[in-house]
Amino acid sequence: MRKEVILITGANGEMGHGLISQLGQNADAQIIAIDVQPLDNDIAKYCTRSIQGDILDSLLLGRLIAEFEIRTIFHLASILSTKAEYNPETAHKVNVEGTLNLLRLAVEQSQWQGKSVKFIYPSSIAAYGLPDLVTKEQAGKVREDEWLQPITMYGINKLYCEHLGRYYQKHYRQLAVDKASHTIDFRSIRFPGLISAVTVPTGGTSDYAPEMIHSAAQNLPYTCFVRPDTRLPFMVMPDAIKALLMLESAPKNNLSRQVYNVTSFSPTADEIYKIVKSAFPEAQIECCSHSNRQAIVDSWPAQVDDTAACRDWGWMPDYNQDQAFNDYLIPTIRQRYIQHS
Ligand code: AKB
């Protein structure tokens, strides 16, 4: 009998660290972790198997199917928005073809098992594209079906993969005589900028917030690449993991849609700066807008409407802005660098 497992891709990333650390508290959780990077020891200890491999490697994925009964997939692997712009074609391969590989695997597993494999897919506010700052300011809380004209390869990939998930769940092999009897249960969240106290970001355009805090805590000079008035929705990583697990466990009949917004607080870069300077008075922070990265952030909504998530599966963040900084980020990050000093 094959072991029933949870497959996590992009396992060594920021969200992977948070998710595995949380799932690992349940001794019964059988986690298969895959990443192109070796898994850090602090999360590898929670995994039944950690595989250093590529989701583009179909043979590797085929071997996973042979050995494990995959019940849930958290497909976290992705090349984020800034890094993707330096090599859009590679980003497309990883973000789209990699996702296609995982969706095929999930459908095959669903047919073998005679029940739907849950496919949990973190999308992003990068799926939105507002044409200019006036529109961004006037748009208010953007709903899931508004302003879907992303301007980054990453955002386009995320939006397309949302549609791929819908296709594999509802229309895959629609003309076949033996139309798939069991298919996947695709569920997705469009995350805002995420800030973790225990990991640092790599390659995102919302990274200015976590980078500013982590740099200040290490007394390292930091140049913020967006204007002070730049506003984005954010949440702290514990709330992002909470949202993933709430959506995964929600009764399917409660879900009115496959893709949900979630959010917590929407500060300007200047508001973040003032909080950080208050916590770390010696911090050396200057603002120097990087015009191209600024244009990406200006195309993302200042706020999103997460009414559907609150209504369908009881979404509610644990941390508002004050709690995020005062109860989680500042004390935890300060402690992290004292320990590492
Ligand atoms: C990025 O900046 O690319 C990500 C995101 C907003 O999805 N953090």
Side-chain angles (χ1 to χ4, degrees), residues 80-81 124-125 154 192-193 204-206 300:
L80 299 183
S81 57
S124 162
I125 55 169
Y154 168 76
T205 318
S206 64
W300 294 350

Side-chain angles (χ1 to χ4, degrees), residues 55 75 77-79 91-103 119-124 127 150 153-169 184 186-190 258-259:
I55 57 172
H75 176 36
S78 182
I79 296 181
H92 183 277
K93 273 193 180 303
V94 171
N95 294 344
V96 175
E97 293 181 28
T99 302
L100 210 55
N101 283 352
L102 268 300
L103 287 167
F119 196 105
I120 310 302
Y121 181 68
S123 183
S124 162
M153 175 57 88
Y154 168 76
I156 291 164
N157 295 161
K158 284 297 184 183
L159 185 58
Y160 176 56
C161 287
E162 292 174 12
H163 288 292
L164 277 181
R166 184 170 51 79
Y167 169 79
Y168 273 86
Q169 175 165 328
I184 62 172
F186 180 86
R187 306 178 182 197
S188 180
I189 293 177
R190 283 194 193 131
Q258 288 177 285
V259 180

